[in-house]
Amino acid sequence: MPSILDETCNLTLTVNGRAETVTVPTDATLLEVLRERLGLMGTRFGCGQEQCGACMVLVDDSPVFACTRLVDSLDGSEIRTVEGLGEDDPLIAALLEHQAAQCAFCLPGIIMSAKALLDRTPSPERSDILEALDPHLCRCGAHPRIVDAILSVAQP
Amino acid sequence: MISPSLMSAKMVGDWIDLSTPGTVTIRTGKVELGQGVLTALVQIASETLALPAERIEIVSGITGATPNEGYTAGSLSIPHAGTAIEAACGTCISVMRDRVAASMGASPGDVTLSDGAFHCDGEQTDHTLWSLAEDIGLDFEVAEPAQPHRANRQPASLPRIDLARKLRGGGMIQDIRTPDMLHARVLRPPHLGARLMTDALSEDDRASLVIEGSFVAVVDDDPLRLTRRAQRMIPRLKWTGGTELTSGILRPDALAVLPGETIEIGEAAESSPDTGTVTARYERPYLMHGSIGCVTALAHWSEDGHLTVTSQSQGPYQLRDAIAVMMDLGLERVEVRHAAGAGCYGHNGADDVAADAALIARHFPGRTIRVMWTRAEEFAHAPLSTAGEVEISAGLNEAGRPDWMTLQIASGTHARRPGTAPSGTLLAELLRDEIETLSPPIELPEMHGLGGLRNAISPYGIPNQAAALKLVDQPGLRTSAMRGLGTHLNVFAIESFIDELARRANEDPLDYRLSLLEGEERASAVLRRVAERSGWADRPEGGDGTGWGIAYSRYKNRAAYVAMVAKISIDHDVRIEKLWCCADAGRVVNMDGVRNQIEGGIVQSMSWALYEEVGLTADETLPQSWEDYPILRFTNLPEIELEVVASPDPVPLGAGEVAVGPATAAIANAVADALGGPVRSLPLSREKVISALLET
């Protein structure tokens, strides 16, 4: 019986502006590659079924569930993860200012969805934020603070 | 004793390490679950020692190296660990100050401490915290202060020490990788008690797996290959026996017909001359922890037979003891080290996954075994929070107030953590030894605030009150602790009932409550304040799709006082428009931390109240995914207005669990207000609302 790793492929992905070449099974997901091949732990596994948003990343500036997106479809795409945000990123600063987390497990994914929203809509209403974060689950109940923090970086 | 944490860790040196000049290291057995406890403990040490927080490190939850403070549970971390650390730091300074004074021929009152250095009559001395620790050691007992060392300090809010790292990813147990790591997954039976049919496996398959009894694991050095191998293996495993579930046994009223031991508290309520007895029955379904991250653990079995387990458990010492029993090891051969995971609200799979990793590690000496559960394991194999039902009866006097009130509760246990039974509390142990019967259900003692009976005696001035809990075990369901234990159901039931009595008496539910709280100044204060902030007196009359509700409870009848007002609308589904909360949580250490905990408790309770219920999937299994177990989403989020009042209390009362009872109760009372009659069964779903409408 052939080992499963016989069915591998070499891929080059652009992650946070860097070209990365990896060897993975042909059905590898973006999340598997980010965490287990590139060591980028900000993108998290929560469910593997597009149901919690912990794995949200940006692919060509749009939020994408990394847990189900196959990497072999991402040739030539720009992938951004929470690690790609700058030291002085205003959204992260606002989340810290509002202490907008408890366990913070869900936050990196939420941050990426909020980034996409703010890039698209620099002055979102509260309802826009709730809508943009609807793919995300938070179990600690940090929702009110997260929404307030995002509102605080919205342009007036 | 000011803190039970001091019972097994009596010495200042148990809590404080001054061996690195310039840095103070605090040790605690309490662990970070996302509630910010380590930040609050650093703040306490910083304030007591008058030292900047940046110079304080904290070590948490390592067996043998930090005090054994039991579980990080029950809203007790600041009351227990905080009080102990404050006393230890205070004792340390006081002993050192005496020493400095003696050496300078001065009185202790002339000696002050600034930035770790002692001053005498305003002049800096040669003595520092670190030099004195070297001279005299820290082997002296923590003294109980006449009053807390930080008694006059206003609540401050040190920002979370762990957050910056966690927001950018990293800093969690799920993120740890080591060069020697092997990844493993346990392949599980379809239901509790089922046994593996080992003979049905091919020899090759058997050789590729770790098998002990019915404990089966796949191990691989590549996590990607592990996932794929596990997926291929699952259909090849055959199981037999065990308890198959039916949707009937998940219904709360199924508990009523099962036998169980009954535990009673309170004064037996003898009927006095009353004008009638009122009875109503309330129920809550089984609930799940639903942490967003899947529980994870690492275990390393050294060549010389020592086991090191890295775990997100709430009780490292209790886990160590249970693993030692499971693996027949002396305690000195097992170390458990805490590492933060995703939010944890009770006895979830954290201990189980640690036992999984430990059992596998013994097969691979010298390697670090990493086990992370799948989402389906999180849902279908972690302990559940028990369903329950409560029948309340009361005898009313002429004024429409109860002369007596009793609660008859039927529920599963809230206490099946490691340490609640000599063995059999870990899933790996049940599988390996093919144990079909779980440890018997128990009720927590009064000392721990009770379990199913928590808050079963109402806080109101009702002369005769009693409660009886029938502890039932529903075969096939492993229930244990989740946030607040019995308080959620009991406060929902009592507060709904009190509203029903107020309605019968044709009185405002706030006034009715206040009349039963005469002399209870702090209780009345939070109720009045939440009414004032919400504009309760000017609220519109309920009906027409909108309603307002109020609720009150004092957690465990001895901790924080919490009052809530909820405003809801109903258009097919219940929607919470706004929720106001006023809390008196005693002396506050970190105000933002207390607020965050109460807010989180409110949001989680809203989710329990409206959305959550364990049901069976089409395949007759427990839920496997979030689709099978919906929770509150961002678009369901109402506005929340919280006030934590200045408290006259000299001691902290805890915050994490105090809001879950009254939040659900206020929402339920608002729904009753909107519908003109109560919905006595959680969750307050569309179906429940419709059937309540049909009844009225």
Side-chain angles (χ1 to χ4, degrees), chain B residues 88 210 224 226 291 329 413 473 500 610 620 651:
Chain B
V210 170
L224 273 61
L226 174 79
S291 180
L329 299 169
T413 182
D473 229 358
E500 293 186 41
L610 296 188
E620 309 249 294
V651 297

Side-chain angles (χ1 to χ4, degrees), chain B residues 591-611:
Chain B
M591 181 55 87
D592 192 61
V594 164
R595 294 183 64 88
N596 204 351
Q597 280 297 289
I598 294 176
E599 286 164 20
I602 291 171
V603 173
Q604 199 167 80
S605 178
M606 293 191 304
S607 185
W608 295 349
L610 296 188
Y611 309 112

